[in-house]
Coordinates of all heavy atoms in Angstrom, one line a residue:
M1 N 0.4 -160.1 -88.4 CA 1.5 -161.0 -88.6 C 1.4 -161.7 -89.9 O 1.5 -162.9 -89.9 CB 1.6 -161.9 -87.4 CG 1.8 -161.2 -86.1 SD 3.4 -160.7 -85.8 CE 4.0 -162.1 -84.9
N2 N 1.1 -161.1 -90.9 CA 0.9 -161.7 -92.1 C 2.1 -161.4 -93.1 O 2.1 -160.6 -93.9 CB -0.4 -161.2 -92.8 CG -0.8 -162.1 -94.0 OD1 -0.1 -163.1 -94.2 ND2 -1.8 -161.7 -94.7
T3 N 3.1 -162.2 -92.9 CA 4.3 -162.0 -93.7 C 4.3 -162.9 -94.9 O 5.2 -162.8 -95.8 CB 5.6 -162.3 -92.9 OG1 5.5 -163.6 -92.4 CG2 5.7 -161.3 -91.7
E4 N 3.4 -163.7 -95.0 CA 3.4 -164.7 -96.1 C 2.6 -164.0 -97.2 O 1.4 -164.1 -97.4 CB 2.7 -166.0 -95.6 CG 2.9 -167.1 -96.6 CD 2.4 -168.4 -96.0 OE1 2.0 -168.4 -94.8 OE2 2.3 -169.3 -96.8
N5 N 3.3 -163.3 -98.0 CA 2.7 -162.6 -99.1 C 2.7 -163.4 -100.4 O 3.6 -163.5 -101.1 CB 3.5 -161.3 -99.3 CG 2.8 -160.4 -100.4 OD1 1.7 -160.7 -100.7 ND2 3.5 -159.4 -100.9
R6 N 1.6 -164.1 -100.5 CA 1.6 -164.9 -101.7 C 1.0 -164.2 -102.9 O -0.2 -163.9 -102.9 CB 0.7 -166.2 -101.4 CG 1.3 -167.0 -100.3 CD 0.7 -168.4 -100.3 NE 0.8 -169.1 -101.6 CZ 0.3 -170.3 -101.8 NH1 -0.3 -170.9 -100.9 NH2 0.3 -170.8 -103.0
N7 N 1.8 -163.9 -103.8 CA 1.3 -163.2 -104.9 C 0.9 -164.2 -106.0 O 1.6 -164.5 -106.9 CB 2.5 -162.3 -105.5 CG 2.0 -161.3 -106.5 OD1 0.8 -161.2 -106.7 ND2 2.9 -160.6 -107.1
D8 N -0.3 -164.7 -105.8 CA -0.7 -165.8 -106.6 C -1.8 -165.4 -107.6 O -2.7 -166.1 -107.9 CB -1.2 -166.9 -105.7 CG -1.3 -168.2 -106.4 OD1 -0.6 -168.3 -107.5 OD2 -2.0 -169.1 -106.0
L9 N -1.6 -164.2 -108.1 CA -2.6 -163.7 -109.0 C -2.3 -164.1 -110.5 O -3.1 -164.0 -111.4 CB -2.7 -162.2 -109.0 CG -3.2 -161.6 -107.6 CD1 -3.2 -160.1 -107.6 CD2 -4.6 -162.1 -107.4
G10 N -1.1 -164.6 -110.7 CA -0.8 -165.1 -112.0 C -0.6 -164.0 -113.0 O -0.7 -164.2 -114.2
L11 N -0.2 -162.8 -112.6 CA -0.1 -161.7 -113.5 C 1.3 -161.7 -114.2 O 1.5 -161.1 -115.2 CB -0.3 -160.4 -112.8 CG -1.7 -160.1 -112.3 CD1 -1.8 -158.8 -111.5 CD2 -2.7 -160.1 -113.5
K12 N 2.3 -162.3 -113.5 CA 3.6 -162.2 -114.0 C 3.9 -163.1 -115.2 O 4.4 -162.7 -116.2 CB 4.6 -162.5 -112.9 CG 4.8 -161.4 -111.9 CD 5.8 -161.7 -110.9 CE 6.0 -160.6 -109.9 NZ 7.0 -160.9 -108.8
D13 N 3.4 -164.3 -115.1 CA 3.8 -165.3 -116.1 C 2.7 -165.6 -117.1 O 2.9 -165.9 -118.2 CB 4.2 -166.6 -115.4 CG 5.4 -166.4 -114.6 OD1 6.3 -165.6 -115.0 OD2 5.5 -167.0 -113.5
A14 N 1.5 -165.4 -116.6 CA 0.4 -165.9 -117.5 C 0.2 -165.0 -118.7 O -0.4 -165.4 -119.7 CB -0.9 -165.9 -116.7
G15 N 0.7 -163.7 -118.5 CA 0.5 -162.8 -119.6 C 1.6 -162.8 -120.6 O 1.7 -161.9 -121.4
A16 N 2.4 -163.8 -120.6 CA 3.6 -163.8 -121.5 C 3.3 -163.9 -122.9 O 4.0 -163.4 -123.8 CB 4.5 -165.0 -121.1
G17 N 2.1 -164.4 -123.2 CA 1.8 -164.5 -124.6 C 0.8 -163.5 -125.2 O 0.1 -163.7 -126.1
C18 N 0.7 -162.3 -124.5 CA -0.2 -161.3 -125.0 C 0.2 -160.8 -126.4 O 1.3 -160.4 -126.6 CB -0.1 -160.1 -124.0 SG -1.2 -158.8 -124.5
A19 N -0.7 -160.9 -127.3 CA -0.4 -160.6 -128.6 C -1.0 -159.3 -129.1 O -0.8 -158.9 -130.2 CB -1.0 -161.7 -129.5
C20 N -1.6 -158.5 -128.2 CA -2.3 -157.3 -128.6 C -1.3 -156.2 -128.9 O -1.6 -155.3 -129.7 CB -3.3 -156.9 -127.6 SG -2.6 -156.4 -126.0
C21 N -0.2 -156.1 -128.2 CA 0.7 -155.0 -128.4 C 2.2 -155.4 -128.5 O 3.0 -154.5 -128.7 CB 0.5 -154.0 -127.3 SG 0.7 -154.7 -125.7
A22 N 2.5 -156.6 -128.2 CA 3.9 -156.9 -128.1 C 4.5 -157.5 -129.4 O 5.7 -157.8 -129.5 CB 4.1 -158.0 -127.0
T23 N 3.7 -157.7 -130.3 CA 4.2 -158.4 -131.6 C 4.8 -157.3 -132.5 O 4.1 -156.5 -133.1 CB 3.0 -159.1 -132.3 OG1 1.9 -158.2 -132.4 CG2 2.6 -160.3 -131.5
T24 N 6.1 -157.3 -132.5 CA 6.8 -156.4 -133.4 C 7.0 -156.9 -134.8 O 7.0 -156.2 -135.8 CB 8.1 -156.0 -132.8 OG1 8.8 -157.2 -132.6 CG2 8.0 -155.2 -131.5
S25 N 7.0 -158.2 -134.9 CA 7.2 -158.8 -136.2 C 6.0 -159.8 -136.5 O 5.9 -160.8 -135.9 CB 8.5 -159.6 -136.3 OG 8.5 -160.6 -135.4
A26 N 5.1 -159.3 -137.4 CA 4.0 -160.2 -137.7 C 4.5 -161.3 -138.7 O 5.2 -161.0 -139.7 CB 2.9 -159.4 -138.4
P27 N 4.2 -162.5 -138.4 CA 4.7 -163.6 -139.2 C 3.9 -163.6 -140.5 O 2.8 -164.0 -140.6 CB 4.4 -164.8 -138.4 CG 3.3 -164.4 -137.5 CD 3.5 -163.0 -137.2
E28 N 4.6 -163.1 -141.6 CA 3.9 -163.2 -142.9 C 4.5 -164.3 -143.7 O 5.3 -164.1 -144.6 CB 4.1 -161.8 -143.6 CG 3.4 -160.7 -142.8 CD 3.4 -159.4 -143.7 OE1 3.8 -159.5 -144.8 OE2 3.1 -158.4 -143.1
T29 N 4.0 -165.5 -143.4 CA 4.5 -166.6 -144.1 C 3.6 -167.0 -145.3 O 3.9 -167.8 -146.1 CB 4.6 -167.8 -143.2 OG1 3.3 -168.0 -142.6 CG2 5.6 -167.7 -142.2
A30 N 2.5 -166.3 -145.5 CA 1.6 -166.6 -146.6 C 2.1 -165.8 -147.8 O 1.5 -164.7 -148.2 CB 0.2 -166.2 -146.3
D31 N 3.2 -166.2 -148.4 CA 3.8 -165.5 -149.5 C 3.4 -166.1 -150.8 O 2.2 -166.0 -151.2 CB 5.3 -165.4 -149.3 CG 5.9 -166.8 -149.0 OD1 5.1 -167.7 -149.0 OD2 7.1 -166.8 -148.8
A32 N 4.3 -166.6 -151.5 CA 4.1 -167.0 -152.9 C 3.1 -168.2 -153.0 O 2.6 -168.4 -154.1 CB 5.4 -167.4 -153.5
V33 N 2.9 -168.9 -152.0 CA 2.0 -170.1 -152.1 C 0.6 -169.7 -152.5 O 0.0 -170.3 -153.4 CB 2.1 -170.9 -150.8 CG1 1.2 -172.1 -150.9 CG2 3.5 -171.3 -150.5
T34 N 0.1 -168.7 -151.8 CA -1.3 -168.3 -152.1 C -1.4 -167.2 -153.1 O -2.4 -167.1 -153.7 CB -2.0 -167.9 -150.8 OG1 -1.2 -166.9 -150.2 CG2 -2.1 -169.1 -149.8
A35 N -0.4 -166.4 -153.3 CA -0.5 -165.3 -154.2 C -0.1 -165.7 -155.6 O 1.0 -165.6 -156.0 CB 0.5 -164.2 -153.7
A36 N -1.1 -166.2 -156.3 CA -0.9 -166.7 -157.6 C -0.9 -165.5 -158.6 O -1.7 -164.6 -158.4 CB -1.9 -167.7 -158.0
V37 N -0.1 -165.6 -159.5 CA 0.0 -164.5 -160.5 C -0.5 -165.1 -161.8 O -0.2 -166.2 -162.2 CB 1.5 -164.1 -160.7 CG1 1.6 -163.0 -161.7 CG2 2.0 -163.6 -159.4
T38 N -1.3 -164.3 -162.5 CA -1.7 -164.7 -163.8 C -1.3 -163.6 -164.8 O -1.3 -162.4 -164.5 CB -3.2 -164.9 -163.9 OG1 -3.9 -163.7 -163.6 CG2 -3.7 -166.0 -163.1
S39 N -0.8 -164.1 -166.0 CA -0.5 -163.2 -167.0 C -1.0 -163.7 -168.4 O -0.9 -164.9 -168.6 CB 1.0 -162.9 -167.0 OG 1.7 -164.1 -167.4
D40 N -1.4 -162.8 -169.2 CA -1.9 -163.2 -170.5 C -0.9 -162.8 -171.6 O -0.3 -161.7 -171.5 CB -3.2 -162.5 -170.8 CG -4.4 -163.1 -170.0 OD1 -4.1 -164.0 -169.2 OD2 -5.5 -162.6 -170.2
V41 N -0.7 -163.7 -172.5 CA 0.0 -163.3 -173.7 C -0.8 -163.8 -174.9 O -1.6 -164.6 -174.8 CB 1.4 -164.0 -173.7 CG1 2.3 -163.5 -172.6 CG2 1.3 -165.5 -173.6
L42 N -0.5 -163.2 -176.0 CA -1.1 -163.6 -177.3 C -0.1 -164.3 -178.1 O 1.0 -163.8 -178.4 CB -1.6 -162.3 -178.0 CG -2.8 -161.6 -177.3 CD1 -3.2 -160.4 -178.1 CD2 -4.0 -162.6 -177.2
V43 N -0.5 -165.5 -178.6 CA 0.4 -166.3 -179.3 C -0.2 -166.5 -180.7 O -1.4 -166.9 -180.9 CB 0.6 -167.7 -178.7 CG1 1.5 -168.6 -179.5 CG2 1.2 -167.5 -177.3
T44 N 0.6 -166.3 -181.7 CA 0.1 -166.5 -183.1 C 0.6 -167.8 -183.7 O 1.6 -168.3 -183.2 CB 0.6 -165.3 -184.0 OG1 2.0 -165.3 -184.0 CG2 0.1 -164.0 -183.5
G45 N -0.2 -168.3 -184.6 CA 0.2 -169.5 -185.3 C -0.4 -170.8 -184.9 O -0.2 -171.8 -185.5
M46 N -1.2 -170.7 -183.8 CA -1.8 -171.9 -183.3 C -3.1 -172.1 -184.1 O -3.9 -171.2 -184.3 CB -2.1 -171.8 -181.8 CG -0.8 -171.8 -181.0 SD -1.1 -172.1 -179.3 CE -2.0 -170.7 -178.8
T47 N -3.3 -173.4 -184.5 CA -4.5 -173.6 -185.3 C -5.4 -174.8 -184.8 O -6.5 -175.0 -185.2 CB -4.1 -174.0 -186.8 OG1 -3.2 -175.0 -186.7 CG2 -3.5 -172.7 -187.4
C48 N -4.8 -175.6 -183.9 CA -5.6 -176.8 -183.5 C -5.2 -177.1 -182.1 O -4.3 -176.5 -181.5 CB -5.4 -177.9 -184.4 SG -3.7 -178.7 -184.3
S49 N -5.8 -178.2 -181.6 CA -5.6 -178.6 -180.2 C -4.1 -179.1 -180.0 O -3.6 -179.0 -178.9 CB -6.6 -179.6 -179.8 OG -6.5 -180.8 -180.6
H50 N -3.5 -179.6 -181.1 CA -2.2 -180.0 -180.9 C -1.2 -178.8 -180.7 O -0.3 -178.9 -179.9 CB -1.8 -180.8 -182.2 CG -0.4 -181.3 -182.1 ND1 0.7 -180.7 -182.7 CD2 0.2 -182.4 -181.5 CE1 1.8 -181.4 -182.5 NE2 1.5 -182.4 -181.7
C51 N -1.5 -177.8 -181.4 CA -0.8 -176.5 -181.1 C -0.9 -176.1 -179.7 O 0.1 -175.7 -179.0 CB -1.2 -175.4 -182.1 SG -1.2 -175.8 -183.8
V52 N -2.1 -176.2 -179.2 CA -2.4 -175.8 -177.8 C -1.6 -176.6 -176.9 O -1.0 -176.1 -175.9 CB -3.9 -175.9 -177.6 CG1 -4.2 -175.7 -176.1 CG2 -4.7 -174.9 -178.4
S53 N -1.6 -177.9 -177.1 CA -0.9 -178.8 -176.2 C 0.6 -178.6 -176.2 O 1.3 -178.7 -175.2 CB -1.3 -180.2 -176.4 OG -0.8 -180.6 -177.7
S54 N 1.1 -178.2 -177.4 CA 2.5 -178.0 -177.5 C 2.9 -176.8 -176.7 O 3.9 -176.8 -176.0 CB 2.9 -177.8 -179.0 OG 2.7 -178.9 -179.7
V55 N 2.2 -175.7 -176.9 CA 2.5 -174.4 -176.2 C 2.3 -174.6 -174.7 O 3.1 -174.2 -173.9 CB 1.6 -173.3 -176.7 CG1 1.7 -172.1 -175.8 CG2 2.0 -172.9 -178.1
T56 N 1.2 -175.3 -174.3 CA 0.9 -175.6 -172.9 C 2.1 -176.4 -172.3 O 2.5 -176.0 -171.2 CB -0.4 -176.4 -172.8 OG1 -1.4 -175.6 -173.3 CG2 -0.7 -176.6 -171.3
E57 N 2.6 -177.3 -173.0 CA 3.6 -178.2 -172.5 C 4.9 -177.4 -172.2 O 5.5 -177.5 -171.2 CB 3.9 -179.3 -173.5 CG 4.8 -180.4 -172.9 CD 4.8 -181.6 -173.9 OE1 3.8 -182.0 -174.4 OE2 6.0 -182.0 -174.2
E58 N 5.2 -176.5 -173.2 CA 6.4 -175.7 -173.1 C 6.3 -174.7 -171.9 O 7.2 -174.5 -171.2 CB 6.8 -175.0 -174.4 CG 7.2 -175.9 -175.5 CD 8.6 -176.6 -175.1 OE1 9.3 -176.0 -174.4 OE2 8.8 -177.7 -175.7
L59 N 5.2 -174.1 -171.9 CA 5.0 -173.0 -170.8 C 4.9 -173.7 -169.5 O 5.4 -173.1 -168.5 CB 3.7 -172.2 -171.1 CG 3.8 -171.3 -172.3 CD1 2.4 -170.7 -172.6 CD2 4.8 -170.2 -172.0
S60 N 4.4 -174.9 -169.4 CA 4.3 -175.5 -168.1 C 5.6 -175.9 -167.6 O 5.8 -176.1 -166.4 CB 3.4 -176.8 -168.2 OG 2.1 -176.4 -168.6
A61 N 6.6 -176.0 -168.5 CA 7.9 -176.4 -168.1 C 8.7 -175.3 -167.4 O 9.8 -175.5 -166.8 CB 8.7 -177.0 -169.3
I62 N 8.2 -174.1 -167.6 CA 8.9 -173.0 -166.9 C 8.8 -173.1 -165.4 O 7.7 -173.4 -164.9 CB 8.3 -171.6 -167.4 CG1 8.4 -171.5 -168.9 CG2 9.0 -170.4 -166.7 CD1 7.7 -170.2 -169.5
D63 N 9.9 -172.8 -164.8 CA 9.9 -172.9 -163.3 C 8.9 -171.9 -162.7 O 9.0 -170.7 -163.0 CB 11.3 -172.5 -162.8 CG 11.6 -173.2 -161.5 OD1 11.0 -174.2 -161.2 OD2 12.4 -172.6 -160.7
G64 N 8.0 -172.4 -161.9 CA 7.1 -171.6 -161.2 C 5.7 -171.6 -161.8 O 4.7 -171.2 -161.2
V65 N 5.6 -172.0 -163.0 CA 4.3 -172.1 -163.7 C 3.4 -173.2 -163.2 O 3.9 -174.3 -163.1 CB 4.5 -172.2 -165.2 CG1 3.1 -172.4 -165.9 CG2 5.1 -171.0 -165.8
E66 N 2.2 -172.8 -162.8 CA 1.4 -173.8 -162.2 C 0.2 -174.2 -163.1 O -0.4 -175.3 -162.9 CB 0.8 -173.3 -160.9 CG 1.9 -173.0 -159.8 CD 1.3 -172.4 -158.6 OE1 0.2 -171.8 -158.7 OE2 2.0 -172.4 -157.5
G67 N -0.1 -173.4 -164.0 CA -1.2 -173.7 -164.9 C -1.2 -172.9 -166.2 O -0.8 -171.7 -166.1
V68 N -1.6 -173.5 -167.2 CA -1.6 -172.8 -168.5 C -3.0 -173.1 -169.2 O -3.4 -174.2 -169.2 CB -0.5 -173.2 -169.5 CG1 -0.6 -172.5 -170.8 CG2 0.9 -172.9 -168.8
S69 N -3.6 -172.0 -169.6 CA -4.9 -172.2 -170.3 C -4.8 -171.4 -171.6 O -4.4 -170.3 -171.6 CB -6.1 -171.9 -169.5 OG -6.1 -170.5 -169.2
V70 N -5.3 -172.0 -172.7 CA -5.2 -171.4 -174.0 C -6.6 -171.2 -174.5 O -7.5 -172.2 -174.5 CB -4.4 -172.3 -174.9 CG1 -4.4 -171.7 -176.3 CG2 -3.0 -172.5 -174.4
D71 N -6.9 -170.0 -175.0 CA -8.1 -169.7 -175.7 C -7.8 -169.7 -177.2 O -7.5 -168.7 -177.7 CB -8.7 -168.4 -175.2 CG -10.1 -168.1 -175.8 OD1 -10.7 -169.0 -176.4 OD2 -10.5 -167.0 -175.7
L72 N -8.0 -170.9 -177.8 CA -7.5 -171.0 -179.2 C -8.3 -170.1 -180.1 O -9.6 -170.1 -180.1 CB -7.7 -172.5 -179.6 CG -7.3 -172.8 -181.0 CD1 -5.8 -172.5 -181.3 CD2 -7.6 -174.2 -181.4
N73 N -7.6 -169.4 -180.9 CA -8.2 -168.6 -182.0 C -7.5 -168.9 -183.2 O -6.5 -168.3 -183.6 CB -8.0 -167.1 -181.6 CG -8.6 -166.2 -182.7 OD1 -9.4 -166.6 -183.5 ND2 -8.2 -164.9 -182.7
A74 N -8.0 -170.0 -183.9 CA -7.3 -170.5 -185.1 C -7.2 -169.4 -186.2 O -8.2 -168.8 -186.5 CB -8.0 -171.7 -185.6
G75 N -6.0 -169.2 -186.7 CA -5.8 -168.2 -187.7 C -5.5 -166.8 -187.2 O -5.3 -165.9 -187.9
G76 N -5.6 -166.7 -185.9 CA -5.4 -165.4 -185.3 C -4.5 -165.5 -184.1 O -3.7 -166.5 -184.0
A77 N -4.6 -164.6 -183.2 CA -3.8 -164.6 -182.0 C -4.6 -165.3 -180.9 O -5.7 -164.8 -180.6 CB -3.3 -163.2 -181.6
S78 N -4.0 -166.3 -180.3 CA -4.7 -167.0 -179.2 C -4.2 -166.5 -177.9 O -3.0 -166.3 -177.7 CB -4.4 -168.5 -179.3 OG -4.8 -169.0 -180.6
R79 N -5.2 -166.3 -177.0 CA -4.9 -165.8 -175.7 C -4.4 -166.9 -174.8 O -5.1 -167.9 -174.7 CB -6.1 -165.1 -175.1 CG -5.8 -164.5 -173.7 CD -7.0 -163.8 -173.1 NE -7.4 -162.7 -174.0 CZ -6.8 -161.5 -173.9 NH1 -5.9 -161.3 -173.0 NH2 -7.2 -160.5 -174.7
V80 N -3.3 -166.8 -174.3 CA -2.7 -167.8 -173.4 C -2.6 -167.2 -172.0 O -1.9 -166.2 -171.8 CB -1.3 -168.3 -173.9 CG1 -0.7 -169.3 -172.9 CG2 -1.5 -168.9 -175.3
T81 N -3.2 -167.9 -171.0 CA -3.2 -167.4 -169.7 C -2.2 -168.3 -168.9 O -2.4 -169.5 -168.8 CB -4.6 -167.4 -169.0 OG1 -5.4 -166.6 -169.8 CG2 -4.5 -166.9 -167.6
I82 N -1.3 -167.7 -168.3 CA -0.3 -168.4 -167.5 C -0.4 -168.1 -166.0 O -0.4 -166.9 -165.6 CB 1.2 -168.0 -167.9 CG1 1.3 -168.2 -169.5 CG2 2.2 -168.8 -167.2 CD1 2.5 -167.5 -170.0
R83 N -0.6 -169.1 -165.3 CA -0.8 -169.0 -163.8 C 0.5 -169.5 -163.1 O 0.9 -170.6 -163.4 CB -2.0 -169.8 -163.3 CG -2.8 -169.0 -162.3 CD -4.1 -169.8 -161.9 NE -3.9 -171.2 -161.6 CZ -4.3 -172.2 -162.4 NH1 -5.0 -171.9 -163.4 NH2 -4.1 -173.4 -162.1
S84 N 1.0 -168.7 -162.2 CA 2.2 -169.0 -161.6 C 2.3 -168.5 -160.2 O 1.5 -167.7 -159.8 CB 3.4 -168.4 -162.4 OG 3.3 -167.0 -162.5
S85 N 3.2 -169.1 -159.4 CA 3.4 -168.7 -158.0 C 4.1 -167.3 -157.9 O 3.8 -166.6 -157.0 CB 4.1 -169.8 -157.2 OG 5.3 -170.1 -157.9
T86 N 5.0 -167.1 -158.9 CA 5.7 -165.8 -158.9 C 5.7 -165.3 -160.3 O 5.5 -166.1 -161.3 CB 7.2 -166.0 -158.5 OG1 7.8 -167.0 -159.3 CG2 7.2 -166.4 -157.0
P87 N 5.8 -164.0 -160.5 CA 5.8 -163.5 -161.9 C 6.9 -164.2 -162.8 O 8.0 -164.3 -162.3 CB 6.1 -162.0 -161.7 CG 5.7 -161.7 -160.3 CD 5.9 -163.0 -159.5
I88 N 6.5 -164.5 -163.9 CA 7.4 -165.2 -164.9 C 8.0 -164.1 -165.8 O 7.3 -163.2 -166.3 CB 6.7 -166.2 -165.7 CG1 6.0 -167.2 -164.8 CG2 7.6 -166.9 -166.7 CD1 6.9 -168.0 -163.9
A89 N 9.3 -164.2 -166.0 CA 10.0 -163.3 -166.9 C 9.4 -163.4 -168.3 O 9.3 -164.5 -168.8 CB 11.5 -163.6 -166.9
P90 N 9.1 -162.3 -168.9 CA 8.5 -162.3 -170.3 C 9.5 -163.0 -171.2 O 9.0 -163.7 -172.2 CB 8.4 -160.8 -170.6 CG 8.3 -160.1 -169.3 CD 9.1 -160.9 -168.3
A91 N 10.7 -162.9 -171.0 CA 11.7 -163.5 -171.9 C 11.6 -165.1 -171.8 O 11.7 -165.8 -172.8 CB 13.1 -163.1 -171.5
A92 N 11.3 -165.6 -170.6 CA 11.1 -167.0 -170.5 C 9.8 -167.5 -171.2 O 9.8 -168.5 -171.8 CB 11.0 -167.3 -169.0
V93 N 8.8 -166.7 -171.1 CA 7.6 -167.0 -171.8 C 7.8 -167.0 -173.3 O 7.4 -167.9 -174.0 CB 6.4 -166.0 -171.4 CG1 5.2 -166.3 -172.3 CG2 6.1 -166.1 -169.9
E94 N 8.5 -166.0 -173.8 CA 8.7 -165.9 -175.2 C 9.5 -167.0 -175.7 O 9.3 -167.6 -176.8 CB 9.4 -164.5 -175.5 CG 9.6 -164.3 -177.0 CD 10.2 -162.9 -177.3 OE1 10.7 -162.3 -176.3 OE2 10.1 -162.5 -178.4
A95 N 10.5 -167.4 -174.9 CA 11.4 -168.5 -175.3 C 10.6 -169.8 -175.4 O 10.9 -170.6 -176.3 CB 12.6 -168.6 -174.3
A96 N 9.7 -170.0 -174.4 CA 9.0 -171.2 -174.4 C 8.0 -171.3 -175.6 O 7.9 -172.4 -176.2 CB 8.2 -171.3 -173.1
V97 N 7.4 -170.2 -175.9 CA 6.5 -170.2 -177.0 C 7.2 -170.5 -178.3 O 6.8 -171.2 -179.2 CB 5.8 -168.8 -177.1 CG1 5.0 -168.6 -178.4 CG2 4.8 -168.6 -175.9
E98 N 8.4 -169.9 -178.4 CA 9.2 -170.1 -179.6 C 9.7 -171.5 -179.7 O 9.9 -172.1 -180.8 CB 10.3 -169.1 -179.7 CG 9.8 -167.7 -180.0 CD 10.9 -166.6 -180.0 OE1 12.1 -167.0 -179.7 OE2 10.6 -165.5 -180.3
E99 N 10.0 -172.0 -178.5 CA 10.5 -173.4 -178.4 C 9.4 -174.4 -179.0 O 9.7 -175.4 -179.6 CB 10.8 -173.8 -177.0 CG 11.3 -175.2 -176.8 CD 12.8 -175.3 -177.2 OE1 13.5 -174.2 -177.3 OE2 13.3 -176.4 -177.3
A100 N 8.1 -174.0 -178.7 CA 7.0 -174.8 -179.2 C 6.8 -174.6 -180.7 O 6.0 -175.3 -181.3 CB 5.8 -174.5 -178.4
G101 N 7.4 -173.6 -181.3 CA 7.3 -173.3 -182.7 C 6.3 -172.2 -183.1 O 5.9 -172.1 -184.2
Y102 N 6.0 -171.4 -182.1 CA 5.1 -170.3 -182.4 C 5.7 -169.0 -181.9 O 6.8 -168.9 -181.5 CB 3.7 -170.6 -181.6 CG 3.2 -171.9 -181.9 CD1 3.4 -173.0 -181.1 CD2 2.5 -172.1 -183.1 CE1 3.0 -174.3 -181.4 CE2 2.1 -173.4 -183.5 CZ 2.3 -174.4 -182.6 OH 1.9 -175.7 -182.9
A103 N 4.9 -167.9 -182.0 CA 5.5 -166.6 -181.7 C 4.4 -165.8 -180.9 O 3.2 -166.0 -181.1 CB 5.8 -165.9 -183.0
L104 N 5.0 -164.9 -180.1 CA 4.1 -164.0 -179.4 C 3.6 -162.9 -180.4 O 4.4 -162.4 -181.2 CB 4.9 -163.3 -178.3 CG 5.2 -164.2 -177.1 CD1 5.9 -163.4 -176.0 CD2 4.0 -164.9 -176.5
A105 N 2.4 -162.5 -180.2 CA 1.9 -161.4 -180.9 C 2.6 -160.1 -180.3 O 2.9 -160.1 -179.2 CB 0.4 -161.3 -180.8
S106 N 2.7 -159.1 -181.2 CA 3.5 -158.0 -180.7 C 2.9 -157.3 -179.5 O 3.6 -157.0 -178.6 CB 3.6 -157.0 -181.9 OG 2.3 -156.7 -182.4
S107 N 1.6 -157.1 -179.5 CA 1.1 -156.4 -178.3 C -0.3 -157.0 -178.0 O -1.2 -157.0 -178.9 CB 0.9 -154.9 -178.6 OG 0.1 -154.7 -179.7
P108 N -0.5 -157.4 -176.8 CA -1.8 -157.9 -176.4 C -2.8 -156.7 -176.4 O -2.5 -155.6 -176.0 CB -1.6 -158.4 -175.0 CG -0.2 -157.9 -174.5 CD 0.5 -157.3 -175.7
S109 N -4.0 -157.1 -176.8 CA -5.0 -156.1 -176.9 C -6.3 -156.6 -176.3 O -6.6 -157.8 -176.3 CB -5.3 -155.6 -178.3 OG -5.6 -156.7 -179.1
Ligands
CU1 CU1 -2.0 -177.6 -184.5

């Protein structure tokens, strides 16, 4: 006379959050914040730290640029490393360099 069927094993509800096979959409929210992009360009015409700060200032003003570092090569082409959250359009980089009064070297080597 056991009609009281208590199904109290917790199998129906407790497993609602099983993540091993039911996740069809993985939350990939780690996008541009952590994926920093770096790109190198060669800038000619820089001769001193003032030149460096001018170029750095202009490049830093580009949307998305997080850091600029310049390896000054006075009298030659200085390597400028641009760190950004997303890839920066080469035209924007060129415009910024020219805005500062300098020019990109034709081809980085
Ligand atoms: Cu200078």
Side-chain angles (χ1 to χ4, degrees):
M1 300 281 267
N2 191 6
T3 58
E4 195 173 348
N5 185 13
R6 296 195 55 181
N7 192 6
D8 198 18
L9 295 176
L11 292 176
K12 285 182 180 177
D13 296 327
C18 179
C20 64
C21 56
T23 51
T24 53
S25 64
E28 295 189 8
T29 52
D31 48 4
V33 177
T34 53
V37 181
T38 58
S39 63
D40 285 2
V41 294
L42 292 178
V43 177
T44 58
M46 295 196 292
T47 55
C48 71
S49 60
H50 181 259
C51 302
V52 170
S53 63
S54 296
V55 170
T56 301
E57 191 173 310
E58 289 296 334
L59 288 174
S60 299
I62 299 174
D63 204 29
V65 171
E66 294 175 342
V68 177
S69 64
V70 178
D71 184 14
L72 179 63
N73 179 19
S78 302
R79 180 178 299 276
V80 178
T81 303
I82 303 163
R83 220 176 46 248
S84 56
S85 53
T86 57
I88 303 299
V93 173
E94 186 176 14
V97 169
E98 289 177 355
E99 183 76 16
Y102 307 96
L104 291 182
S106 53
S107 62
S109 58

